[in-house]
Amino acid sequence: MDAILQRRAAAVLRRDEGEFLADVDPYNKELLAAQKVLFQNLVQFGFGKLAYHQGAPQFDQALIDKYGLTAYLVSAAMEYQIDGINEQPVQTALGYTFVKRSGRYVLVDDSHLDSEYPDSPNQEAWDTGPVLVQRGERTLVVVEAGQTQLATSILSNAQLAIKAVNRWWAPDWKGGTVVIALDDTKVRSTDFAGSDWNGFAAVATSVYRWPADAGDDGSYVVVNPRERGQLDARLLAHEFTHVASAPYGRGVPLWLVEGAAGYVQRMPIYSKQTLDLHEQRDLVRSRYVNKAKALPTNDQFVGLSKDSSYATSWYAVDYLVGKYGLNLVLGLYQELAWQESTPARRDSVMTEQLGRTEQQLFAELKKGR
């Protein structure tokens, strides 16, 4: 199995389709066709590093019944690094089924374990059918094969968004991201067909470092298929702020996570500023802040309170940057990020950094600027 996995990885790096397909069941024409598409997709991503690591063998009686006693089901990790995108090697989960035929093992299925990883990004962009990958500086855009105009438009906005994040939030961020804008509702850990995703134009989905316990490397942005025609640099700047901040850790309360992204989204991105921030502040204050009793909890970013939560969070971060400067707010974010988020710890860090707790900060917002 290790030899098969090594050959498949080497075949992608060498762009050798014959070698990639050599260990696929030759009698399964449907699988062969799908694996050919997979290979053609993979070579477009520009992997500087690629390896498949065999994990624990699994048991499923249904596979024994279907293929016989030689059926071998194994979990695997795909370790890869896309040049110009991943600062460190990252991973995604896989599941392979092999069967012994004519004295050697061949691949008969590569998706049997997908249901075992419901929250894992095992349905990657390269698994969805023929794709087109267009590369820009620190960005890859993935669309369906033939959608060149759409890819070019998204890539142009993505370049503006990267510059905005470096200017207004994370000047030291040198990483990149993948923007997945496919006409497919289920990619990575998203499901835009589900009710939980209503109203989201795009989401930043976690990318995990290799080895498995090394934390987050960043995020890939997955675009809602219904919204990809309206995608602009501001929306991408919002999501790219999440991408740049992901390696800091997960201990940040959502009001600061989304507030920071909303802050970058509203700053000058195009050649001319098109948002009246004074008007926006007055509107958010009268519509949401004056009616709220506290900064939004994590649970309030879904459902009926979603709009007010995002707006109030932006208002709070905008206030903090104006009062303390970007460097201090970014430092607060990083300090909160690296450990588990609890109310006591947040108040301790905020008191140390700002001289006030979350509730005291909100009281200041209520009083006005």
Side-chain angles (χ1 to χ4, degrees), residues 1-32:
M1 301 307 158
D2 288 338
I4 292 173
L5 296 178
Q6 290 171 12
R7 282 195 294 271
R8 285 172 67 82
V12 173
L13 294 176
R14 290 201 294 262
R15 296 175 175 261
D16 187 335
E17 183 179 282
E19 184 177 15
F20 187 81
L21 299 176
D23 295 299
V24 179
D25 181 5
Y27 301 105
N28 190 331
K29 302 304 181 184
E30 184 177 346
L31 179 63
L32 274 170

Side-chain angles (χ1 to χ4, degrees), residues 54-167:
Q54 185 178 182
Q58 310 291 310
F59 177 79
D60 189 327
Q61 185 62 47
L63 292 178
I64 301 296
D65 296 340
K66 181 177 182 179
Y67 296 111
L69 293 175
T70 65
Y72 182 79
L73 174 64
V74 63
S75 62
M78 176 182 172
E79 176 198 358
Y80 66 90
Q81 192 165 10
I82 302 173
D83 288 338
I85 302 298
N86 307 119
E87 295 188 83
Q88 302 181 52
V90 297
Q91 65 167 331
T92 189
L94 298 168
Y96 288 133
T97 306
F98 297 94
V99 173
K100 198 171 188 179
R101 293 217 173 110
S102 302
R104 71 185 186 98
Y105 276 96
V106 292
L107 180 71
V108 296
D109 187 273
D110 69 347
S111 60
H112 190 75
L113 289 179
D114 283 1
S115 61
E116 300 295 318
Y117 309 120
D119 297 322
S120 175
N122 50 302
Q123 171 80 344
E124 294 286 1
W126 45 74
D127 296 315
T128 60
V131 301
L132 167 68
V133 180
Q134 199 167 114
R135 176 180 286 271
E137 184 180 358
R138 297 164 58 190
T139 313
L140 289 185
V141 173
V142 187
V143 296
E144 289 88 14
Q147 293 281 352
T148 305
Q149 185 174 352
L150 176 63
T152 301
S153 174
I154 294 173
L155 191 60
S156 176
N157 283 313
Q159 304 302 291
L160 292 173
I162 283 180
K163 292 178 181 178
V165 175
N166 279 141
R167 180 180 180 185

Side-chain angles (χ1 to χ4, degrees), residues 7 62 85 88 96 102 118 138 156-158 182 209 230-232 240 247 261 289 314 325 356 364:
R7 282 195 294 271
I85 302 298
Q88 302 181 52
Y96 288 133
S102 302
R138 297 164 58 190
S156 176
N157 283 313
L182 294 165
R209 293 175 185 163
Q230 287 72 50
L231 200 63
D232 63 11
F240 286 8
V289 177
W314 162 71
R356 57 202 24 81
E364 284 186 30

Side-chain angles (χ1 to χ4, degrees), residues 234-249:
R234 292 198 180 281
L235 178 58
L236 288 174
H238 181 111
E239 300 303 331
F240 286 8
T241 304
H242 294 321
V243 174
S245 303
Y248 301 149

